[in-house]
Amino acid sequence: MRRALLLVMALLLCVTASTTYAEWTLYKISGRDYVPLDDVANFYGLGHVVRAGNDATMEVGGRSLKGGVNSVEFYINRLKFNLSYPIVEFEGRPVISRMDLTKVIEPVLRPQKIKNAEKIDTIVLDPGHGGHDNGATSLYGNEKAFTLDVANRARMMLMQSGYHVVMTRTNDTFIPLEERVRIANQYSNAIFISIHFNSGGAAGTGLETYTLAPRGVPSMMADGPRIGDLQPCAGNINDAENIALATATHASLVVRSRMYDRGIKRARFVVIRDIVIPGVLIEGGFLSNDFDARLIAMPNYRQQMASSILQAVQNYRRAVGTQAGETVARNAEEPHVETNTPMLRATPSANDVQPTVVTPTSAGTN
């Protein structure tokens, strides 16, 4: 990485009506702001950074951060995230982008500090594809049928738990992306969960959760930076809520399944780009992979996905609510680094239910 332009500053961050200060060191590397992982570990009460080759780990009790130099893969409490920019090394110290500090680490570790997070009573479920749009396909069925089946199962569980549930489609009908956005944007005190299954060659496997890329951050689905990365998107008003919802959703999916964890990723899919409520898009496995496809075709796996969605909603509500869980930071101040710069995969056992071919007419049944 080019380091021709470098600025090192000591920053004192003060909390309103408080005399407590937190000192951060800011590095300007190739026009982007970075902070040392040492400062991150200190601020969040995670002890010292332990280096093992390119890996850097900060851990106290059950809380941990782990990343690698020159890698975007980053683990928070052992859940995989994909950073906006790789961790880099400067003068022997691993440093992380200010963007990832404020847009990933802070809202994930301290979701209870997200300002103005609404109380959630409505869940908008978006079964992907439909009608002439089959989505991904396998020997056992089409994506459009599997997504509707998962959504129907989740709908029943959410309703039984007292939530108001809205479906962007309830049958084998093609719904344009813009119409899905319009439906979602009719509701306040709501979150949006778009349900999909993946495709991408026989080697592709595992679970992914997508949330909207912050303004200025390249989409992981694009080939490099684009002018559009700088355009404001409606969904960016909920950047903090989006990543908190993605964390709750992905954690629930990974914990309840035997699928490989591909991580939380960033994109600008229309349905998460243009909605004005917090939203995520989940990919529940690869229909192009025989192992994943067989698992997806099992009714008990789709029921498990529905249970994961319910658990994700409940966990998100608790995380951003007034009765939030443990505050993991050692101090109460916010980690706003201000400058003058603009800005588990396993083989199915013999006791597993065998795959069943799912068609639009059989979706929602066992």
Side-chain angles (χ1 to χ4, degrees):
M1 174 175 289
R2 292 183 304 167
R3 294 172 176 162
L5 298 177
L6 172 65
L7 176 65
V8 183
M9 301 174 62
L11 303 174
L12 295 179
L13 308 181
C14 179
V15 184
T16 305
S18 172
T19 58
T20 303
Y21 291 86
E23 184 173 302
W24 295 82
T25 302
L26 177 71
Y27 296 94
K28 180 76 71 175
I29 304 173
S30 297
R32 188 171 298 126
D33 297 338
Y34 287 83
V35 295
L37 286 181
D38 290 321
D39 289 2
V40 175
N42 179 64
F43 182 85
Y44 290 103
L46 292 172
H48 301 288
V49 176
V50 177
R51 294 291 301 271
N54 282 334
D55 290 339
T57 303
M58 300 137 276
E59 185 170 14
V60 169
R63 299 181 289 110
S64 64
L65 301 177
K66 181 179 180 180
V69 173
N70 300 322
S71 174
V72 297
E73 293 187 1
F74 193 76
Y75 293 84
I76 302 179
N77 297 338
R78 295 175 176 77
L79 188 69
K80 184 177 179 179
F81 292 75
N82 289 270
L83 300 175
S84 299
Y85 304 103
I87 293 172
V88 296
E89 189 166 9
F90 180 76
E91 295 183 346
R93 305 177 75 188
V95 296
I96 192 168
S97 75
R98 182 179 71 163
M99 179 72 77
D100 286 310
L101 169 64
T102 58
K103 296 292 188 178
V104 178
I105 295 177
E106 168 63 7
V108 170
L109 288 184
R110 303 201 301 181
Q112 71 274 18
K113 289 187 172 290
I114 297 174
K115 292 181 172 61
N116 303 317
E118 300 288 347
K119 179 180 178 181
I120 301 304
D121 54 34
T122 299
I123 314 301
V124 182
L125 296 178
D126 177 46
H129 308 281
H132 67 266
D133 180 8
N134 290 327
T137 62
S138 74
L139 293 176
Y140 311 107
N142 295 327
E143 181 181 5
K144 67 175 181 179
F146 290 133
T147 61
L148 183 58
D149 182 62
V150 172
N152 280 329
R153 293 169 186 269
R155 174 177 175 270
M156 293 302 299
M157 298 171 116
L158 288 162
M159 291 175 62
Q160 289 168 0
S161 298
Y163 294 97
H164 176 221
V165 181
V166 176
M167 300 269 285
T168 59
R169 70 179 178 95
T170 57
N171 52 36
D172 185 24
T173 303
F174 175 76
I175 307 294
L177 298 178
E178 293 75 16
E179 177 63 11
R180 296 170 191 257
V181 169
R182 188 196 68 78
I183 293 170
N185 284 345
Q186 294 182 75
Y187 299 92
S188 57
N189 299 335
I191 57 176
F192 176 90
I193 300 176
S194 188
I195 304 166
H196 288 259
F197 294 97
N198 229 327
S199 182
T205 183
L207 300 167
E208 295 176 335
T209 299
Y210 284 91
T211 187
L212 180 63
R215 186 178 182 184
V217 170
S219 168
M220 292 177 182
M221 299 302 292
D223 295 326
R226 296 179 176 181
I227 295 298
D229 297 343
L230 300 175
Q231 299 299 317
C233 302
N236 286 134
I237 63 172
N238 295 310
D239 277 348
E241 293 93 329
N242 289 339
I243 193 67
L245 176 59
T247 302
T249 305
H250 194 66
S252 183
L253 289 168
V254 169
V255 167
R256 287 171 175 264
S257 78
R258 297 162 301 172
M259 302 285 274
Y260 175 67
D261 178 6
R262 297 174 63 88
I264 296 171
K265 300 184 176 183
R266 302 287 198 171
R268 289 190 174 84
F269 301 133
V270 171
V271 291
I272 56 174
R273 184 192 68 195
D274 295 344
I275 57 174
V276 295
I277 58 176
V280 293
L281 184 148
I282 61 177
E283 297 276 7
F286 281 70
L287 288 171
S288 54
N289 177 284
D290 186 65
F291 175 89
D292 288 18
R294 286 173 58 85
L295 202 58
I296 292 163
M298 296 177 184
N300 62 334
Y301 177 76
R302 299 193 301 277
Q303 185 69 20
Q304 178 181 275
M305 277 192 67
S307 298
S308 297
I309 290 171
L310 171 62
Q311 187 66 56
V313 170
Q314 293 172 330
N315 288 348
Y316 173 77
R317 280 193 64 183
R318 282 194 292 268
V320 301
T322 55
Q323 302 301 316
E326 175 190 18
T327 299
V328 298
R330 188 179 62 187
N331 302 315
E333 65 272 19
E334 298 292 332
H336 292 164
V337 184
E338 301 295 346
T339 72
N340 58 0
T341 306
M343 272 291 307
L344 327 14
R345 172 170 175 174
T347 302
S349 71
N351 295 324
D352 282 332
V353 177
Q354 291 304 302
T356 55
V357 178
V358 174
T359 66
T361 55
S362 65
T365 66
N366 282 325

